[in-house]
Amino acid sequence: MSADTRTYELVYVLPPELRDLELENAHQEVLQVVDRNDGKIVFENSWGMRKLAYPIDKKTEGHYTMLHIDLDPSKVADVERLLNLSENVMRYLIIRDPVA
Amino acid sequence: MSDEQETQETTAATVADIEEPTAAVPPSTESDDVPVAATVETADTSASDAASPPPEPEVDPEPKVERTAEATPEARLEPVPVAADATKDAEPVAAPSGGRPASTHPAPPPESDPTALDPRKRVPPVYRANQGPSQSRFRPRHVATDVPLEQIHYKNIEILSQFLDRQGRILSRRKTRVSAKKQRRLKTAIKQARHLALLPYTPSHIRGRR
C-alpha cells in the first residue's frame, strides 16, 4: 500500500448457473477490471456457493468471492462502473479499510 | 329645646303607637332642617336612644344611610377577592403568575405555576409515570451489546442478525442499548450485508405474498 493507493475490500456475487469454465471466465473478467485500473490484488478468498437472503433475478444462490485490493482512490469509480456494466456480476460491494 | 321636649313626649306617648306621632310631629317642627326620611329613621331606630337632641340625629342618620349603602357593596365586593386570595393561598404554589381571576378556574394556575417557578418539582413524577412502563418494555433484549467494535462488519451475519427484529428491521438503539458509535457501525454493516443478499430486507414469508 503505497502513498497514492488504499486497500479496498471487494465482494462480488456471480450467478449460480455458471460452471467451471464460465465461472472462471467471470472471475477473470472481474480481475481484469481491477487490473485495468492498476489495482493490485492482495488477498483473495472464495466463499463458494451461498444461499441468497432474497432472490435476485429469480436466483436464490450465488458464488461469493472476496478480494482485497490496493487501488488508487480515484480509480474506484471506474471499477464500480465496469462492475455495473458486467453481465455476470449480480452484486458487488467495495468498502474501504477491510478489517479481516 | 322645645324640639327635644316634643320628641321626648312623642316617644313617651308612642309606646303603644310609634308611627303616628313620629310621622306627625317632625315635619311640623323640623321641616326646614331635617328631611322626612331621616326623622322617621331616628324615631324607628331608637325609641329609647332618641333622647339625644335633634341636630345630632340630623347628622347621624344620613351618614348611616350612606355608610350602609357603601358598606353593602363593599361587603358584596370584598368577599369575592378574599375568596380568590384564599383559593390562591390554598393552592400549593403562591400565585405571582395569577393575573387571572383564577378563583373560578383552579386548574390552569397549577399547570402554569410549577413550570414558571420550579419545573423540577412537578415534571419528574410525570416523567417517571411515563418511563415506568417504558423501561420494562424497552429493556435491552439483546445481550450482544458488548460486541467488540472490530467484529461489527457486514460479513458477521450472526452478530448482525441479533440486531434485527422478526421483520428484518434494524432494532432501535433504545432497544439494543448499544452505544451510538456501535449502532452506526451496525447500521452500515447491516445495510451492506443486505445489499449483498447476506441479510434479508424483509422476511421471506412476507416477500412471497403478492
Side-chain angles (χ1 to χ4, degrees):
Chain A
M1 180 174 173
S2 62
D4 52 351
T5 61
R6 274 184 177 277
T7 301
Y8 294 92
E9 182 170 285
L10 167 61
V11 176
Y12 59 93
V13 184
L14 294 178
E17 65 268 17
L18 296 183
R19 297 301 173 189
D20 308 320
L21 185 60
E22 296 173 329
L23 186 61
E24 186 60 31
N25 290 333
H27 282 300
Q28 289 300 322
E29 180 186 353
V30 176
L31 296 181
Q32 285 177 7
V33 168
V34 175
D35 189 59
R36 206 176 306 165
N37 287 283
D38 301 327
K40 181 185 176 183
I41 294 173
V42 182
F43 178 73
E44 181 173 355
N45 184 17
S46 177
W47 296 356
M49 184 90 89
R50 276 185 63 94
K51 198 174 190 311
L52 302 179
Y54 52 91
I56 301 173
D57 296 335
K58 307 285 181 68
K59 295 158 189 169
T60 58
E61 292 179 319
H63 296 282
Y64 282 77
T65 307
M66 182 182 74
L67 303 176
H68 285 188
I69 308 166
D70 283 349
L71 191 64
D72 188 340
S74 62
K75 303 289 183 58
V76 174
D78 192 54
V79 172
E80 289 183 340
R81 184 181 68 85
L82 293 172
L83 290 177
N84 280 327
L85 290 175
S86 172
E87 296 278 341
N88 289 323
V89 177
M90 300 163 62
R91 291 289 163 93
Y92 70 89
L93 175 71
I94 299 178
I95 64 167
R96 212 180 58 188
D97 299 331
V99 178
Chain B
M1 294 305 288
S2 64
D3 295 335
E4 293 178 355
Q5 293 175 353
E6 289 176 357
T7 55
Q8 289 177 353
E9 289 175 356
T10 55
T11 53
T14 58
V15 174
D17 295 334
I18 298 171
E19 295 177 354
E20 291 179 353
T22 54
V25 176
S28 64
T29 57
E30 298 174 351
S31 62
D32 294 336
D33 294 334
V34 177
V36 178
T39 56
V40 172
E41 287 180 354
T42 56
D44 291 337
T45 55
S46 60
S48 63
D49 294 337
S52 63
E56 292 178 354
E58 289 177 357
V59 178
D60 290 338
E62 293 178 353
K64 283 181 180 177
V65 172
E66 290 177 357
R67 286 175 184 176
T68 55
E70 291 177 356
T72 50
E74 288 178 357
R76 289 174 183 174
L77 291 176
E78 287 177 357
V80 175
V82 167
D85 293 334
T87 55
K88 289 177 182 179
D89 294 336
E91 291 172 357
V93 180
S97 65
R100 298 175 180 179
S103 62
T104 57
H105 299 286
E111 291 180 355
S112 62
D113 289 336
T115 58
L117 292 178
D118 36 23
R120 294 176 183 175
K121 290 185 178 178
R122 280 292 177 88
V123 176
V126 178
Y127 184 65
R128 289 170 186 169
N130 288 333
Q131 194 174 3
S134 70
Q135 278 184 347
S136 61
R137 187 192 304 174
F138 297 114
R139 183 174 298 156
R141 288 184 280 170
H142 296 263
V143 196
T145 309
D146 56 348
V147 171
L149 196 65
E150 298 79 21
Q151 293 189 11
I152 298 175
H153 51 73
Y154 68 97
K155 288 173 287 189
N156 205 338
I157 300 170
E158 291 79 11
I159 288 179
L160 295 183
S161 60
Q162 294 181 1
F163 293 93
L164 302 176
D165 65 0
R166 294 181 58 186
Q167 280 70 36
R169 296 178 294 194
I170 301 174
L171 289 176
S172 67
R173 203 157 82 82
R174 192 167 54 175
K175 293 182 179 177
T176 61
R177 296 292 168 182
V178 168
S179 69
K181 186 176 182 178
K182 286 183 180 177
Q183 182 77 9
R184 258 181 280 129
R185 301 290 177 90
L186 285 169
K187 174 193 67 179
T188 58
I190 289 170
K191 291 181 177 179
Q192 288 169 348
R194 281 173 176 173
H195 173 71
L196 286 175
L198 299 175
L199 286 178
Y201 284 100
T202 182
S204 59
H205 67 278
I206 292 177
R207 196 192 323 116
R209 292 178 184 173
R210 292 293 170 86

